[in-house]
Structures are given as C-alpha cells and as structure tokens.
C-alpha cells in the first residue's frame, strides 16, 4: 500500500485575500509563494513559512469564510512548550489577541488566535513535547 507523506497544503476561504495575506504574513511570519489572478482579479495566494514546512492557501470565497468563522480549522505544530511560550510572547508584543496556552489532549495548545475572518488558528506542541 502506498504511504501518505503529510499535507501538501491547507486551503482556507477568506473574504478579502489581500487583508488575510497581510495577517498571515504579519502574525505567523508566512511568506508569499504565489498569487492566483483570474481575469485580472487576485483570487488567492499560496503562503509558506521560511523553513518551507507549512503551506497555506487562501482563496476568495466570502460565503464559506463566513460559515467557518469561529471554527478551529488550522492547527500548526510547534516544537516545544518553550517555543509555544515564545509564540505567546510574540503575539502579546504585537497586540494580537488570543486565549493563552492550555493543556490539550496531547501536549499544550495556544487557543483563541483568530484570522481576519474569525477562523481560529491553534498552535500545538508536537506529540506532547515539553
């Protein structure tokens, strides 16, 4: 049987591609990989982190973005609890609201971080790492 090799990317619907792109760049440090322009209109972007381990696509789809508001669709792995605390400090320094770090089912998680459409982005320690 063929094996899976992880996620290629995750795609989220957004109401405003440029606004969401700016948020993911500023808050998570993602960088532009490519833009998707259709009939002269920016309809989506592909972003990734500097280490090229996380790829995120944002696609203009206001109705679906509104429907996902409040849902924790994205959970990004963080190497350790120390690094998770560093992320919390970074978000605090940037004035970015979140719900703090809690103990999850498998490790610790920073909750309550919401993108411009209200989609929750969670940061998890990987495999319960301390």
């Amino acid at each position: 049987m063929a094996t899976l090799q992880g996620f290629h990317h995750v795609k989220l619907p957004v109401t405003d591609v440029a606004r969401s792109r700016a948020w993911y760049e500023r808050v998570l440090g993602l960088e532009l990989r490519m833009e998707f322009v259709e009939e002269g209109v920016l309809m989506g972007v592909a972003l990734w982190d500097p280490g090229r381990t996380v790829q995120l696509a944002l696609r203009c789809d206001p109705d679906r973005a509104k429907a996902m508001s409040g849902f924790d669709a994205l959970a990004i792995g963080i190497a350790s609890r120390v690094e998770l605390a560093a992320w919390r400090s970074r978000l605090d320094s940037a004035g970015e609201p979140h719900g703090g770090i809690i103990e999850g089912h498998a490790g610790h998680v920073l909750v309550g971080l919401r993108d411009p459409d209200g989609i929750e982005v969670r940061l998890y320690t990987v495999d319960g790492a301390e």
Side-chain angles (χ1 to χ4, degrees), residues 12-13 24 65 68-71 73-74 113-115 117-121:
L12 295 177
Y24 281 95
M68 287 186 66
S69 183
F71 187 68
L74 189 59
L113 178 63
R114 297 186 186 275
D115 79 359
D117 289 302
I119 297 170
E120 186 171 350
V121 177

Side-chain angles (χ1 to χ4, degrees), residues 108-130:
H108 292 84
V109 56
L110 185 139
V111 298
L113 178 63
R114 297 186 186 275
D115 79 359
D117 289 302
I119 297 170
E120 186 171 350
V121 177
R122 292 186 172 189
L123 305 178
Y124 271 87
T125 56
V126 178
D127 296 326
E130 291 298 318

Side-chain angles (χ1 to χ4, degrees), residues 32-92:
L32 181 66
R33 181 170 182 214
M34 65 181 72
E35 294 182 330
F36 300 95
V37 177
E38 299 169 12
E39 297 179 15
V41 177
L42 179 64
M43 294 301 294
V45 294
L47 306 168
W48 55 8
D49 68 298
R52 311 300 189 245
T53 60
V54 173
Q55 293 190 78
L56 178 65
L58 305 175
R59 175 77 180 169
C60 185
D61 192 335
D63 292 338
R64 285 190 176 96
K66 289 175 189 167
M68 287 186 66
S69 183
F71 187 68
D72 58 324
L74 189 59
I76 300 172
I78 303 298
S80 69
R81 191 169 180 190
V82 169
E83 288 191 29
L84 188 61
W87 271 99
R88 179 184 56 206
S89 295
R90 174 184 170 169
L91 295 170
D92 290 344

